[in-house]
Amino acid sequence: MSSDAQNENKDKLEPVLNPILPKATEILFYTGNTLTLFKIMKKTNTSVTEEITEYMSTMLQTMRTEGNEKQFQNQTYVKFLPISDEATVASNQNGSSPDNEQLTREDLKFSVKIFLRSLEPEVLSHTIDTVLQELKENYLESVMISLPNYGAQITLNEFLPLWRTVEDYIDKQKILSAGVCDFMLPLFSDLCDACKHKPYANQINLGVCCSIPEELNKYVKEHNIQLLTHSDPIDVISDSDFQQVLREYCHEYDAMNWKPLSIVRYNSVIANRGIIKTKGFFVYAKRELRMN
């Protein structure tokens, strides 16, 4: 690395003397369409955790180098929004495909996976509303709900308030279909019996469950439910992961007490062609400020 590059990196990581986010109790990182941001990625084949934290780091680094810290001094809800060129993002969102073919909304299918680190329905509602608002969409074709921190420990009574929230969005036609992740029998069958809108799919982590239990496989076939697989980590972003990224670019106070409550991975695909049009992430976190 050249001395100029080293000095540049040193300047970017210069210690912060005062908090940048002194009043913030909520924070949102929205990457925008990461297909337009491939140049910022330092390495390929990263885990989803590494990918998200690198995008977060890039957003914070941009804030520091552009001297935008003052705008956050009085904000209680801080939003870090896409850093890519707005015209490029708008073009990608408004229907121009890579080969300049004009696409309508009906040509696209939006799939969203929400990793919830909270059982509060309000967090789920806030997350779905944020995705719809920032993507400027009226509805999503598919939403998967994952509770990586709770896993097999969750009970039906704990999960039902979350599913009722999802059902409300389905009733309003803001979500067309929804599924769950890592539900085993009898919890999955109990959910199907108790809900108005049954999950269209159950996504199982084969890294945790080496093979699909025969009883679960039989149940989904009998009820025309898709059985999918995934390899996402048990915890996409831990409290310490999130706080460490902030600590590297902000004041120590700015990193204190944050808890990521929801992480969203989304993509849009050109229907019937399997071509990914957009993809990206949302990370929403909250904290309680310590009173002096």
Side-chain angles (χ1 to χ4, degrees):
M1 179 182 292
S2 68
S3 59
D4 288 344
Q6 288 176 332
N7 289 335
E8 184 180 1
N9 285 337
K10 182 176 182 299
D11 289 340
K12 291 176 183 176
L13 297 173
E14 200 67 36
V16 179
L17 299 180
N18 297 301
I20 296 173
L21 316 171
K23 299 180 180 180
T25 55
E26 295 179 89
I27 194 167
L28 172 72
F29 286 90
Y30 166 40
T31 65
N33 181 11
T34 59
L35 295 181
T36 67
L37 301 176
F38 67 94
K39 291 181 180 178
I40 73 170
M41 297 302 293
K42 299 174 183 176
K43 51 191 174 182
T44 58
N45 299 321
T46 57
S47 69
V48 63
T49 303
E50 293 171 327
E51 187 176 359
I52 294 173
T53 54
E54 187 160 347
Y55 285 127
M56 289 171 56
S57 295
T58 301
M59 290 175 152
L60 292 168
Q61 191 175 43
T62 299
M63 171 201 62
R64 290 288 309 279
T65 56
E66 293 183 354
N68 294 331
E69 299 99 322
K70 291 183 179 179
Q71 66 176 305
F72 302 120
Q73 286 296 305
N74 294 311
Q75 293 184 12
T76 57
Y77 187 2
V78 172
K79 295 183 180 181
F80 290 98
L81 300 177
I83 60 175
S84 59
D85 181 73
E86 291 183 2
T88 300
V89 174
S91 174
N92 282 332
Q93 289 182 339
N94 292 333
S96 178
S97 66
D99 58 2
N100 292 323
E101 174 190 1
Q102 292 300 310
L103 300 171
T104 66
R105 177 61 180 87
E106 288 68 31
D107 293 321
L108 299 175
K109 290 188 176 181
F110 279 83
S111 298
V112 170
K113 185 169 184 178
I114 301 174
F115 301 90
L116 277 177
R117 301 180 80 248
S118 166
L119 294 179
E120 297 178 19
E122 294 79 10
V123 172
L124 178 56
S125 295
H126 178 274
T127 299
I128 296 172
D129 288 341
T130 298
V131 172
L132 289 167
Q133 178 182 342
E134 297 298 337
L135 293 181
K136 297 179 173 59
E137 295 296 336
N138 295 321
Y139 64 93
L140 304 166
E141 275 77 6
S142 167
V143 172
M144 298 294 295
I145 304 297
S146 175
L147 295 165
N149 284 48
Y150 299 92
Q153 306 302 319
I154 195 168
T155 66
L156 180 63
N157 286 338
E158 289 174 320
F159 183 72
L160 265 181
L162 295 173
W163 193 253
R164 298 297 185 217
T165 300
V166 172
E167 290 182 320
D168 185 50
Y169 283 91
I170 293 176
D171 288 338
K172 295 175 181 176
Q173 297 185 327
K174 293 186 175 183
I175 293 175
L176 302 190
S177 61
V180 296
C181 297
D182 303 308
F183 272 46
M184 296 297 173
L185 292 178
L187 178 59
F188 186 66
S189 61
D190 289 345
L191 171 63
C192 291
D193 291 340
C195 64
K196 178 170 65 173
H197 297 289
K198 292 179 173 54
Y200 85 95
N202 185 9
Q203 194 179 49
I204 303 297
N205 189 339
L206 288 181
V208 176
C209 179
C210 298
S211 61
I212 303 297
E214 185 55 37
E215 289 184 354
L216 177 60
N217 198 29
K218 180 181 178 182
Y219 181 87
V220 296
K221 287 181 178 178
E222 289 176 350
H223 293 81
N224 196 30
I225 297 171
Q226 296 181 43
L227 194 58
L228 310 173
T229 61
H230 73 92
S231 57
D232 293 312
I234 299 247
D235 197 3
V236 177
I237 297 181
S238 67
D239 296 357
S240 59
D241 289 335
F242 188 90
Q243 293 169 15
Q244 181 58 32
V245 175
L246 286 168
R247 190 172 290 112
E248 289 177 5
Y249 295 93
C250 302
H251 190 273
E252 177 67 28
Y253 178 84
D254 295 325
M256 292 173 54
N257 301 335
W258 287 106
K259 293 182 178 298
L261 299 183
S262 67
I263 300 96
V264 173
R265 180 176 62 209
Y266 77 89
N267 67 59
S268 67
V269 174
I270 300 177
N272 302 318
R273 291 164 58 184
I275 299 174
I276 298 177
K277 185 71 169 56
T278 60
K279 68 181 220 178
F281 300 94
F282 294 83
V283 182
Y284 172 68
K286 294 183 73 173
R287 71 170 173 176
E288 293 186 6
L289 290 176
R290 293 182 179 177
M291 304 301 293
N292 293 327

